[in-house]
Amino acid sequence: MHDTGTAPQSAPAPEQDPASGQASAPEQEGQSRHARRFGLPIATCLVTGNIIGGGIFLLPASVAPFGTISLVAFGVLTAGAIALALVFGRLAERDPRTGGPYVYAREAFGDFAGFLAAWSYWITTWVSNAALAVAAVGYLDVLIPVGEHKWTACLAALTLQLLPALANLAGTRYVGAVQLVATVLKFLPLLLVAVGGLFFFDSANLGPFQASDDSAVGAVSASAAILLFSYLGVESAAVSAGEVRDPRRNVGRATILGTLGAALVYLLGTLAVFGTVAHDKLVGSTAPFSDAVNVMFGGSWGGTAVALAALVSMVGALNGWTLLSAQTPYAAAKDGLFPSAFGRKKRGVPTVGVLVTVVLASLLTVYNYAAGSGGVFESLVLITTFTATVPYLLATVAQIYFLVSGQGARVHRGRLVRDAVLAGVAFAFSMWLVAGSGYAAVYQGVLFLFAGVLVYAVMAARKQRTATSHA
């Protein structure tokens, strides 16, 4: 299909239940007693759980060299992330189909833009799953010695990927249960440090406001570059909109609440660690939360407690990202832009997408351990920091397109100014994410996108041939 510069007729939106706003037949397929739509609490946990992985446990030490000015960067990033979350909520309110950024980009700019959003997001999810599993083994090793031999560690990483995949294959009912439990278990220790640490807070530990030789703007930008990707995952509820109960209402709320919850933990947790661990020690710390727990309660058991919390946190993130890895290809497959096998659901879950993701992530994990060097693996992970932002950028410009084109069915005129400002801030935030990826990640990420163009050519040609034969 040739892209003429105007949006082609998109697949009709699923019929809605006037009372609930839920999608009907197409989105309901595969429902069974093992499939259950996510209510607001589970959808919120999905967002929070996917935003908060294992990186938070190192964040305070990562930004400590810049001084407490890094908290300003946190505040700026939080504002950008919330603007992006609000834009996703507005977009999902108008089009509550599974796929999130893919759906919005395709609706605004046609098949090719939609495919790029789906392709880049899909790459992000399975590469990130491999990275999460490998990182989780480091925390597991504190509890159970699995790191002494590389193949024992590899087996542990594969197991950590398989367990969330099995929960997904069992149905959305179990995905939601795992996500709720994991989010609660990860929040408890984080809040213990974030809130409890305030009672042990000593301003003498904070160190200088600006610890580096950079200017204030330079210090904020440098610390922001480290923190930028702490908010990846704000789109989680929008991507799974088809599985959310009353999506027009709940996707936006879950996105905002989940993002605010993650921001609260990030900000309070970092502030508490800054105030409990001396600055000169924090700069060189490899386990800042453990150090904070040891200061608060004495002893040396903080490392074990934090390792357990981090492991739970990362397994919860793996559970959520495994679901998302199948949702966007599912939406694209329904439109003929991904192989049709990705468009089949069982127990409310696109099973082929889950299986393909776990296989690809497992192969990448095995390669990581077999190669014995993290060079290529780390490069792939850095690439995902770029590919993750492509759908954000396309979604925000889709919102701007809807606003500027004045499409009455998509734009609430009374909120035009507010929505335009939010879209502008979200666009700037998305561009900042792209810039923060670094030259190498952008260069290599673009190569991954161009590789997807070949896939698009084949799928678009097949779609055109099918349409012609049915004409």
Side-chain angles (χ1 to χ4, degrees), residues 283-322:
V283 170
S285 175
T286 57
F289 272 81
S290 296
D291 293 338
V293 171
N294 290 338
V295 168
M296 290 165 60
F297 303 107
S300 58
W301 57 275
T304 301
V306 171
L308 181 60
L311 188 60
V312 170
S313 179
M314 298 180 88
V315 169
L318 277 167
N319 180 64
W321 281 107
T322 299

Short mmCIF file of all heavy atoms in Angstrom, two decimals, residues 283-322:
data_model
loop_
_atom_site.label_atom_id
_atom_site.label_comp_id
_atom_site.label_asym_id
_atom_site.label_seq_id
_atom_site.Cartn_x
_atom_site.Cartn_y
_atom_site.Cartn_z
N VAL A 283 28.94 8.30 46.91
CA VAL A 283 29.50 8.43 45.56
C VAL A 283 30.15 7.13 45.09
O VAL A 283 30.05 6.77 43.92
CB VAL A 283 30.53 9.60 45.52
CG1 VAL A 283 31.31 9.59 44.20
CG2 VAL A 283 29.81 10.92 45.70
N GLY A 284 30.78 6.41 46.02
CA GLY A 284 31.45 5.16 45.64
C GLY A 284 30.65 3.91 45.96
O GLY A 284 31.17 2.80 45.82
N SER A 285 29.40 4.07 46.38
CA SER A 285 28.60 2.92 46.79
C SER A 285 28.11 2.10 45.60
O SER A 285 27.75 2.64 44.56
CB SER A 285 27.39 3.39 47.61
OG SER A 285 26.54 2.31 47.92
N THR A 286 28.11 0.78 45.78
CA THR A 286 27.55 -0.12 44.76
C THR A 286 26.18 -0.65 45.20
O THR A 286 25.53 -1.37 44.44
CB THR A 286 28.50 -1.31 44.50
OG1 THR A 286 28.72 -2.00 45.75
CG2 THR A 286 29.82 -0.84 43.93
N ALA A 287 25.78 -0.32 46.43
CA ALA A 287 24.49 -0.77 46.95
C ALA A 287 23.94 0.30 47.89
O ALA A 287 23.89 0.10 49.11
CB ALA A 287 24.63 -2.10 47.67
N PRO A 288 23.53 1.46 47.35
CA PRO A 288 23.13 2.58 48.21
C PRO A 288 21.94 2.29 49.11
O PRO A 288 21.91 2.74 50.26
CB PRO A 288 22.79 3.69 47.21
CG PRO A 288 22.58 3.01 45.90
CD PRO A 288 23.48 1.82 45.92
N PHE A 289 20.95 1.54 48.64
CA PHE A 289 19.81 1.23 49.49
C PHE A 289 20.21 0.30 50.63
O PHE A 289 19.69 0.39 51.74
CB PHE A 289 18.67 0.62 48.66
CG PHE A 289 17.74 1.65 48.06
CD1 PHE A 289 18.08 2.31 46.89
CD2 PHE A 289 16.54 1.97 48.66
CE1 PHE A 289 17.25 3.26 46.33
CE2 PHE A 289 15.69 2.93 48.12
CZ PHE A 289 16.05 3.58 46.95
N SER A 290 21.12 -0.63 50.33
CA SER A 290 21.63 -1.51 51.39
C SER A 290 22.35 -0.69 52.45
O SER A 290 22.18 -0.92 53.66
CB SER A 290 22.58 -2.56 50.81
OG SER A 290 21.91 -3.41 49.92
N ASP A 291 23.17 0.26 52.00
CA ASP A 291 23.89 1.11 52.95
C ASP A 291 22.91 1.90 53.81
O ASP A 291 23.11 2.07 55.02
CB ASP A 291 24.81 2.06 52.20
CG ASP A 291 25.95 1.34 51.50
OD1 ASP A 291 26.27 0.21 51.92
OD2 ASP A 291 26.50 1.90 50.53
N ALA A 292 21.82 2.37 53.19
CA ALA A 292 20.83 3.15 53.94
C ALA A 292 20.13 2.28 54.99
O ALA A 292 19.93 2.71 56.13
CB ALA A 292 19.80 3.74 52.98
N VAL A 293 19.77 1.05 54.61
CA VAL A 293 19.11 0.14 55.55
C VAL A 293 20.04 -0.18 56.72
O VAL A 293 19.62 -0.24 57.88
CB VAL A 293 18.67 -1.16 54.83
CG1 VAL A 293 18.20 -2.20 55.84
CG2 VAL A 293 17.55 -0.86 53.85
N ASN A 294 21.33 -0.38 56.43
CA ASN A 294 22.29 -0.69 57.49
C ASN A 294 22.45 0.48 58.45
O ASN A 294 22.62 0.30 59.66
CB ASN A 294 23.64 -1.06 56.88
CG ASN A 294 23.60 -2.41 56.17
OD1 ASN A 294 22.75 -3.24 56.46
ND2 ASN A 294 24.51 -2.61 55.23
N VAL A 295 22.39 1.72 57.92
CA VAL A 295 22.48 2.90 58.78
C VAL A 295 21.24 3.01 59.64
O VAL A 295 21.31 3.33 60.84
CB VAL A 295 22.64 4.18 57.93
CG1 VAL A 295 22.45 5.43 58.79
CG2 VAL A 295 24.02 4.21 57.26
N MET A 296 20.08 2.73 59.05
CA MET A 296 18.81 2.89 59.76
C MET A 296 18.64 1.87 60.88
O MET A 296 18.19 2.19 61.97
CB MET A 296 17.65 2.76 58.77
CG MET A 296 17.53 3.94 57.80
SD MET A 296 16.46 3.56 56.38
CE MET A 296 14.90 3.20 57.22
N PHE A 297 19.01 0.61 60.60
CA PHE A 297 18.71 -0.46 61.55
C PHE A 297 19.93 -1.17 62.10
O PHE A 297 19.81 -2.08 62.93
CB PHE A 297 17.79 -1.50 60.89
CG PHE A 297 16.51 -0.91 60.37
CD1 PHE A 297 16.30 -0.74 59.00
CD2 PHE A 297 15.51 -0.50 61.24
CE1 PHE A 297 15.12 -0.19 58.52
CE2 PHE A 297 14.34 0.06 60.77
CZ PHE A 297 14.14 0.21 59.40
N GLY A 298 21.12 -0.79 61.65
CA GLY A 298 22.33 -1.43 62.14
C GLY A 298 22.53 -2.80 61.51
O GLY A 298 21.68 -3.32 60.79
N GLY A 299 23.67 -3.40 61.78
CA GLY A 299 23.94 -4.73 61.23
C GLY A 299 24.35 -4.66 59.78
O GLY A 299 24.63 -3.60 59.22
N SER A 300 24.35 -5.82 59.13
CA SER A 300 24.77 -5.89 57.72
C SER A 300 23.77 -6.69 56.89
O SER A 300 24.13 -7.26 55.88
CB SER A 300 26.16 -6.51 57.62
OG SER A 300 26.15 -7.81 58.21
N TRP A 301 22.52 -6.73 57.38
CA TRP A 301 21.53 -7.53 56.67
C TRP A 301 20.84 -6.75 55.55
O TRP A 301 20.04 -7.29 54.80
CB TRP A 301 20.47 -8.04 57.66
CG TRP A 301 19.78 -6.94 58.41
CD1 TRP A 301 20.20 -6.33 59.55
CD2 TRP A 301 18.54 -6.30 58.06
NE1 TRP A 301 19.32 -5.36 59.95
CE2 TRP A 301 18.29 -5.31 59.05
CE3 TRP A 301 17.63 -6.44 57.02
CZ2 TRP A 301 17.17 -4.50 59.02
CZ3 TRP A 301 16.50 -5.62 56.99
CH2 TRP A 301 16.29 -4.67 57.99
N GLY A 302 21.20 -5.48 55.42
CA GLY A 302 20.57 -4.64 54.41
C GLY A 302 20.77 -5.17 53.01
O GLY A 302 19.87 -5.10 52.16
N GLY A 303 21.96 -5.73 52.74
CA GLY A 303 22.24 -6.24 51.40
C GLY A 303 21.30 -7.35 51.01
O GLY A 303 20.78 -7.38 49.88
N THR A 304 21.03 -8.27 51.93
CA THR A 304 20.12 -9.38 51.65
C THR A 304 18.70 -8.88 51.44
O THR A 304 18.01 -9.30 50.49
CB THR A 304 20.14 -10.40 52.82
OG1 THR A 304 21.47 -10.88 52.99
CG2 THR A 304 19.21 -11.55 52.53
N ALA A 305 18.26 -7.96 52.29
CA ALA A 305 16.89 -7.44 52.19
C ALA A 305 16.68 -6.71 50.87
O ALA A 305 15.66 -6.90 50.19
CB ALA A 305 16.61 -6.51 53.37
N VAL A 306 17.65 -5.88 50.50
CA VAL A 306 17.51 -5.10 49.27
C VAL A 306 17.63 -6.01 48.05
O VAL A 306 16.94 -5.81 47.05
CB VAL A 306 18.56 -3.97 49.22
CG1 VAL A 306 18.58 -3.30 47.85
CG2 VAL A 306 18.25 -2.95 50.30
N ALA A 307 18.50 -7.01 48.10
CA ALA A 307 18.62 -7.95 46.98
C ALA A 307 17.30 -8.66 46.75
O ALA A 307 16.88 -8.87 45.60
CB ALA A 307 19.73 -8.96 47.27
N LEU A 308 16.63 -9.06 47.83
CA LEU A 308 15.33 -9.73 47.71
C LEU A 308 14.30 -8.78 47.10
O LEU A 308 13.53 -9.17 46.21
CB LEU A 308 14.86 -10.22 49.08
CG LEU A 308 13.53 -10.98 49.13
CD1 LEU A 308 13.61 -12.23 48.25
CD2 LEU A 308 13.17 -11.37 50.56
N ALA A 309 14.29 -7.53 47.57
CA ALA A 309 13.34 -6.55 47.03
C ALA A 309 13.61 -6.29 45.56
O ALA A 309 12.69 -6.19 44.75
CB ALA A 309 13.45 -5.24 47.83
N ALA A 310 14.89 -6.18 45.20
CA ALA A 310 15.24 -5.94 43.80
C ALA A 310 14.84 -7.10 42.92
O ALA A 310 14.36 -6.92 41.79
CB ALA A 310 16.74 -5.68 43.67
N LEU A 311 15.02 -8.32 43.42
CA LEU A 311 14.66 -9.51 42.65
C LEU A 311 13.15 -9.55 42.39
O LEU A 311 12.70 -9.80 41.26
CB LEU A 311 15.10 -10.77 43.40
CG LEU A 311 14.98 -12.09 42.64
CD1 LEU A 311 15.83 -12.07 41.38
CD2 LEU A 311 15.40 -13.25 43.54
N VAL A 312 12.38 -9.28 43.43
CA VAL A 312 10.92 -9.22 43.27
C VAL A 312 10.53 -8.13 42.29
O VAL A 312 9.67 -8.32 41.42
CB VAL A 312 10.24 -8.99 44.64
CG1 VAL A 312 8.75 -8.70 44.45
CG2 VAL A 312 10.42 -10.20 45.54
N SER A 313 11.18 -6.98 42.41
CA SER A 313 10.90 -5.85 41.53
C SER A 313 11.13 -6.21 40.07
O SER A 313 10.32 -5.92 39.18
CB SER A 313 11.77 -4.65 41.92
OG SER A 313 11.53 -3.56 41.07
N MET A 314 12.23 -6.90 39.80
CA MET A 314 12.59 -7.21 38.42
C MET A 314 11.74 -8.34 37.86
O MET A 314 11.42 -8.35 36.66
CB MET A 314 14.08 -7.53 38.34
CG MET A 314 14.93 -6.35 38.76
SD MET A 314 16.69 -6.65 38.70
CE MET A 314 17.05 -6.20 37.02
N VAL A 315 11.35 -9.28 38.69
CA VAL A 315 10.44 -10.34 38.22
C VAL A 315 9.08 -9.73 37.88
O VAL A 315 8.45 -10.10 36.88
CB VAL A 315 10.29 -11.45 39.28
CG1 VAL A 315 9.15 -12.40 38.91
CG2 VAL A 315 11.59 -12.24 39.41
N GLY A 316 8.63 -8.78 38.70
CA GLY A 316 7.38 -8.09 38.39
C GLY A 316 7.47 -7.32 37.09
O GLY A 316 6.53 -7.31 36.28
N ALA A 317 8.62 -6.66 36.85
CA ALA A 317 8.82 -5.93 35.60
C ALA A 317 8.84 -6.90 34.42
O ALA A 317 8.27 -6.62 33.36
CB ALA A 317 10.11 -5.13 35.66
N LEU A 318 9.49 -8.04 34.59
CA LEU A 318 9.51 -9.05 33.53
C LEU A 318 8.10 -9.54 33.20
O LEU A 318 7.75 -9.74 32.03
CB LEU A 318 10.38 -10.24 33.95
CG LEU A 318 11.89 -10.09 33.74
CD1 LEU A 318 12.64 -11.19 34.50
CD2 LEU A 318 12.23 -10.16 32.26
N ASN A 319 7.29 -9.71 34.23
CA ASN A 319 5.90 -10.15 34.03
C ASN A 319 5.12 -9.14 33.19
O ASN A 319 4.44 -9.50 32.23
CB ASN A 319 5.24 -10.33 35.40
CG ASN A 319 3.80 -10.79 35.29
OD1 ASN A 319 3.50 -11.88 34.81
ND2 ASN A 319 2.86 -9.96 35.75
N GLY A 320 5.25 -7.86 33.55
CA GLY A 320 4.53 -6.83 32.82
C GLY A 320 5.04 -6.61 31.41
O GLY A 320 4.27 -6.50 30.46
N TRP A 321 6.37 -6.58 31.25
CA TRP A 321 6.94 -6.35 29.93
C TRP A 321 6.70 -7.53 28.98
O TRP A 321 6.61 -7.35 27.76
CB TRP A 321 8.44 -6.07 30.03
CG TRP A 321 8.74 -4.67 30.45
CD1 TRP A 321 9.19 -4.25 31.67
CD2 TRP A 321 8.58 -3.48 29.66
NE1 TRP A 321 9.32 -2.88 31.68
CE2 TRP A 321 8.96 -2.38 30.46
CE3 TRP A 321 8.16 -3.25 28.35
CZ2 TRP A 321 8.93 -1.07 29.99
CZ3 TRP A 321 8.12 -1.94 27.88
CH2 TRP A 321 8.51 -0.88 28.69
N THR A 322 6.59 -8.74 29.54
CA THR A 322 6.27 -9.89 28.69
C THR A 322 4.89 -9.73 28.08
O THR A 322 4.67 -10.03 26.90
CB THR A 322 6.35 -11.21 29.51
OG1 THR A 322 7.68 -11.38 30.00
CG2 THR A 322 5.98 -12.41 28.65
#
